[in-house]
Amino acid sequence: MFHGKKQSQNHQENDAVQQDAKVCELKAALGPLSGRNLKFCTDACLRRYLEARNWNVEKAHKMLKGTLKWRATYKPEEIRWHEISHEVEKGKVFRANFHDRYGRTVLIMRPEMQNTTSAEDNIRHLAYVIENSILNLAEGQEQMSWLIDFTGLSLSNSMSIGTGVDIIKILQNHYPERLAVAFVHNPPRIFEAFWKVVKCVLNSKTSEKVKFVYPNNKESEELMKHFFDVDNLPGEFGGKATMKYDHEEFSRLMVQDDVKTAKYWGFDEKPTHIADAQLRPQLAPEPTPFAPPAS
C-alpha cells in the first residue's frame, strides 16, 4: 500500500517537473516581451494556455500568439465602464458579491434582461466583465464560476445565435481555463437549438464544465450545495439570499475598478464622474458591496 502511494507521489512530482519545463519552453518560444505583453504572460498564464492545448508547446504557442495579436487590436484592458454601462442597465451580467465554496469569483448572467441589440456592444461588455472579474480574483486563483439563469427567456429578448457563438469563440480562444464551472439554470426549450450550435464550437473539456440545473429538482439542489453556500446563493438558483441589482451603486464600484485596471496595466486614469444612474447587484443580507460575506 505504501509502495503504491510512493509511486503515485513520484509520478506527480515528475509531472510537475515536466510541466515546469514546458512553461520554460513556451517562454523561450515567445522570445523577449515588453509592456503589456510581459504583464500578461505570467507563468500562470502560460500554464493555462498549455493546459488548454494538453501541454503541447507548439499548439499553446500558436494560441497565445493569437491572443496577443487580438489584445493588441481589441485592447480589452482599455474598455471603460462608461463605454458599456448601457449594456447592463437591467442587470443581465454582473459580478456577484459572494464567492463559491472554492473562493472563486462568481458571475451571474440573466439572459432575460437582455436590453440591447448591438452585437459589438454585447461582446465588448462581456470582455469588460471578464477582464474585471480577473482583476478581482483572489491571489492564487485563476478561475471563476458562472451562474446563468434562463428563467423568462423568449425569442423576443434572447441574444442571436451568431453573437453567442462569437462570444464563445473569444472566451475559448483568449481566456482559456478561466471557467471553472457554469451552471445553466432552468433552460427553456428554445435554448436547445442554441446549445446544439454552441456544443459544436466548444471543446470537450469546456462543455464538460457546463452543468444543467432545474428548479425543484433534488439532484440539482445537491449539486448547487456542493459548490455554493445556500445562505449566499440567490433564491433564483435555489439558495436563501435575495438578489437585487442596483445599477447606480454597481457603477460606482466599476468606476473604482477602472482606476485599479489602469494602475495594473501601467497607465494613470482619474475616476469618471457618474452623472446618471448606473447599477449593482446586491444580495441580502449584505456586508460590504461585492465582498464575500463574513464567515
Side-chain angles (χ1 to χ4, degrees), residues 82-281:
H82 69 273
E83 301 173 42
I84 48 81
S85 62
H86 61 281
E87 283 291 323
V88 69
E89 287 177 354
K90 295 174 69 175
K92 64 185 176 187
V93 182
F94 56 86
R95 176 167 52 86
N97 66 341
F98 63 91
H99 295 75
D100 68 11
R101 291 191 184 277
Y102 300 90
R104 295 181 293 229
T105 294
V106 176
L107 284 185
I108 294 179
M109 303 182 181
R110 300 184 294 174
E112 178 197 9
M113 299 299 178
Q114 177 66 28
N115 62 318
T116 61
T117 58
S118 169
E120 178 57 28
D121 284 355
N122 270 284
I123 293 171
R124 280 176 59 80
H125 168 243
L126 195 60
Y128 174 89
V129 171
I130 297 299
E131 292 283 325
N132 176 265
S133 297
I134 293 170
L135 179 74
N136 284 281
L137 287 172
E139 185 176 356
Q141 187 59 260
E142 289 288 308
Q143 296 184 312
M144 60 194 77
S145 296
W146 291 8
L147 291 172
I148 311 171
D149 183 17
F150 278 95
T151 302
L153 183 71
S154 65
L155 287 174
S156 62
N157 60 15
S158 61
M159 179 186 294
S160 73
I161 290 180
T163 301
V165 169
D166 287 342
I167 287 173
I168 293 295
K169 286 180 178 178
I170 287 175
L171 295 176
Q172 188 166 256
N173 294 337
H174 305 309
Y175 296 97
E177 296 301 313
R178 285 300 190 185
L179 177 66
V181 62
F183 294 96
V184 177
H185 177 261
N186 201 22
R189 184 162 294 181
I190 63 170
F191 181 75
E192 292 178 7
F194 177 76
W195 180 241
K196 287 179 181 178
V197 175
V198 168
K199 281 196 74 174
C200 295
V201 179
L202 289 176
N203 60 48
S204 59
K205 181 184 286 188
T206 302
S207 63
E208 288 172 1
K209 296 178 180 179
V210 179
K211 313 294 183 184
F212 289 86
V213 292
Y214 302 90
N216 305 314
N217 179 284
K218 190 66 177 177
E219 187 176 341
S220 295
E221 290 175 4
E222 291 302 316
L223 183 62
M224 296 302 285
K225 287 179 182 178
H226 177 75
F227 283 90
F228 300 95
D229 183 336
V230 294
D231 290 333
N232 300 332
L233 192 66
E236 288 83 347
F237 298 96
K240 298 178 180 179
T242 300
M243 180 166 60
K244 296 180 180 178
Y245 184 71
D246 182 337
H247 189 68
E248 184 176 359
E249 181 60 28
F250 188 64
S251 292
R252 292 192 184 97
L253 292 171
M254 293 301 98
V255 169
Q256 293 171 10
D257 276 0
D258 282 353
V259 177
K260 287 165 56 179
T261 298
K263 184 177 180 181
Y264 177 82
W265 290 106
F267 45 91
D268 293 328
E269 190 165 297
K270 295 180 180 179
T272 302
H273 175 67
I274 304 175
D276 50 345
Q278 302 175 42
L279 88 183
R280 145 188 139 121

Side-chain angles (χ1 to χ4, degrees), residues 9-21 47 55:
Q9 183 179 353
N10 289 338
H11 181 69
Q12 291 176 356
E13 290 175 354
N14 288 337
D15 281 349
V17 170
Q18 290 175 11
Q19 289 178 1
D20 288 343
R47 286 180 180 277
W55 294 88

